[in-house]
């Protein structure tokens, strides 16, 4: 499946989960995103979609100006809309909010369809391409779909193709970024292995000073020595663990479990 097709699929799944949650009346709180409700997820992801659309379409050299929200396509009258400054917003989600989200997601999806992945675009990462945004927004839609379903207590696993890519993306993109944003401590040679049990996937990660080095499908010897701890699970569970959605309890952890605390000190949540 092409990357843009995965984006469409994951956004549709998010929309379905949100509309299901909206049928219950009050917007449920999201345990995996403390301080947010499902309504807040919609506003967050909808604003991100419209911001990314503006970055690509208007060829911005940075994020949209936060003092000018015209890029977000909000109506003049926001009465009844969730207010991000007063989260969690637990009131019922207005249909207008859901329509606004779906319109913005559709516009972004059409833009992804029309642009080659290698086209230049500003991002907060070293990779400055449209393809970065397709990958990032697919993963974000998938994890927030899980969040929305988790609010109802019945989250489905992340699709294998997205989950496996998200594990790789964690070490290629998110871990270095989180370390920089949070000024995390320097690595001291820590080595972690994450092994997929429902398909191919073996990620050896080495922290060396400011660097995060990823070795895929590689033995401990080739990676330069034994691992501090090894974690095995499905692609979905590994992704959700690395995205701070589930604990290690349901995973197969070999070695010193306490070393996982060190991993999250090296890669703090943001």
């Amino acid at each position: 499946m092409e990357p843009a097709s995965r984006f469409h699929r994951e956004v549709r799944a998010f929309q379905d989960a949100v509309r299901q949650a909206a049928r219950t009346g009050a917007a449920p709180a999201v345990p995996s995103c403390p301080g947010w409700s499902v309504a807040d997820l919609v506003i967050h992801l909808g604003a991100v979609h419209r911001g990314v659309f503006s970055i690509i379409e208007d060829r911005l050299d940075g994020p949209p100006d936060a003092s000018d929200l015209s890029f977000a396509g909000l109506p003049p009258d926001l009465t009844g809309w969730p207010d991000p400054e007063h989260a969690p917003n637990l009131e019922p989600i207005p249909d207008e909010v859901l329509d606004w989200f779906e319109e913005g997601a559709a516009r972004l999806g059409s833009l992804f369809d029309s642009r080659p992945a290698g086209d230049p675009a500003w991002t907060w990462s070293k990779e400055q391409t449209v393809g970065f945004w397709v990958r990032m927004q697919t993963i974000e839609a998938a994890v927030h779909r899980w969040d929305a379903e988790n609010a109802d207590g019945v989250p489905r696993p992340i699709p294998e193709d997205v989950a496996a890519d998200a594990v790789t993306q964690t070490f290629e993109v998110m871990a270095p970024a989180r370390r920089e944003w949070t000024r995390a401590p320097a690595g001291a040679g820590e080595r972690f292995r994450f092994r997929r049990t429902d398909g191919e996937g073996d990620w050896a990660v080495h922290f060396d000073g400011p660097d995060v080095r990823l070795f895929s499908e590689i033995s401990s010897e080739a990676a330069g020595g034994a691992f501090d701890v090894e974690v095995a699970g499905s692609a979905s569970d590994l992704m959700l663990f690395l995205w701070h959605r589930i604990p290690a309890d349901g995973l197969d952890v070999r070695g010193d479990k306490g070393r996982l605390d060190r991993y999250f000190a090296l890669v703090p949540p943001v």
Side-chain angles (χ1 to χ4, degrees):
M1 182 179 288
E2 291 296 319
S5 297
R6 286 197 286 268
F7 172 78
H8 289 291
R9 182 190 68 193
E10 298 310 313
V11 164
R12 285 194 300 269
F14 176 82
Q15 291 170 177
D16 290 345
V18 167
R19 286 199 176 272
Q20 179 62 37
R23 294 189 189 102
T24 66
V30 181
S32 46
C33 296
W36 278 10
S37 73
V38 171
D40 298 310
L41 284 180
V42 175
I43 293 296
H44 162 72
L45 193 54
V48 169
H49 285 170
R50 289 170 182 265
V52 172
F53 180 92
S54 183
I55 287 168
I56 298 171
E57 179 70 10
D58 300 331
R59 302 186 183 278
L60 302 183
D61 57 4
D65 184 354
S67 66
D68 178 7
L69 295 180
S70 59
F71 74 89
L74 297 169
D77 183 4
L78 294 175
T79 302
W81 279 54
D83 182 352
E85 295 186 1
H86 295 90
N89 290 277
L90 301 173
E91 296 77 16
I93 308 173
D95 287 340
E96 294 80 6
V97 173
L98 301 178
D99 293 342
W100 167 83
F101 175 87
E102 292 178 10
E103 179 190 9
R107 291 176 70 217
L108 182 59
S110 294
L111 187 62
F112 285 162
D113 289 337
S114 69
R115 299 294 178 90
D119 269 12
W122 177 87
T123 79
W124 44 261
S125 175
K126 292 180 181 179
E127 181 186 351
Q128 301 283 297
T129 67
V130 170
F132 170 90
W133 286 119
V134 177
R135 187 187 196 192
M136 184 75 248
Q137 291 314 304
T138 299
I139 293 170
E140 189 164 1
V143 77
H144 286 322
R145 184 273 302 166
W146 188 94
D147 290 328
E149 292 181 347
N150 189 43
D152 279 339
V154 287
R156 293 170 298 135
I158 305 295
E160 293 179 8
D161 55 346
V162 174
D165 183 53
V167 175
T168 302
Q169 194 257 13
T170 292
F171 303 121
E172 290 179 343
V173 177
M174 298 306 298
R178 287 174 177 170
R179 287 179 52 72
E180 181 177 350
W181 296 336
T182 61
R183 298 189 178 184
E190 297 88 349
R191 298 174 185 275
F192 302 90
R193 182 185 186 189
F194 298 89
R195 181 172 56 83
R196 181 181 174 187
T197 57
D198 61 343
E200 294 184 358
D202 198 339
W203 297 266
V205 187
H206 178 201
F207 290 86
D208 182 16
D211 297 329
V212 181
R213 299 178 181 175
L214 172 64
F215 304 86
S216 297
E217 305 291 349
I218 199 165
S219 68
S220 60
E221 291 78 16
F227 299 105
D228 294 275
V229 63
E230 298 186 26
V231 181
S234 68
S236 177
D237 283 350
L238 290 175
M239 172 195 175
L240 292 168
F241 172 71
L242 293 167
W243 276 73
H244 303 269
R245 262 43 184 199
I246 63 173
D249 299 350
L251 298 168
D252 179 9
V253 180
R254 301 182 182 184
D256 182 0
K257 283 191 176 183
R259 296 299 288 170
L260 290 179
D261 293 336
R262 177 60 178 170
Y263 172 81
F264 287 118
L266 290 166
V267 188
V270 292

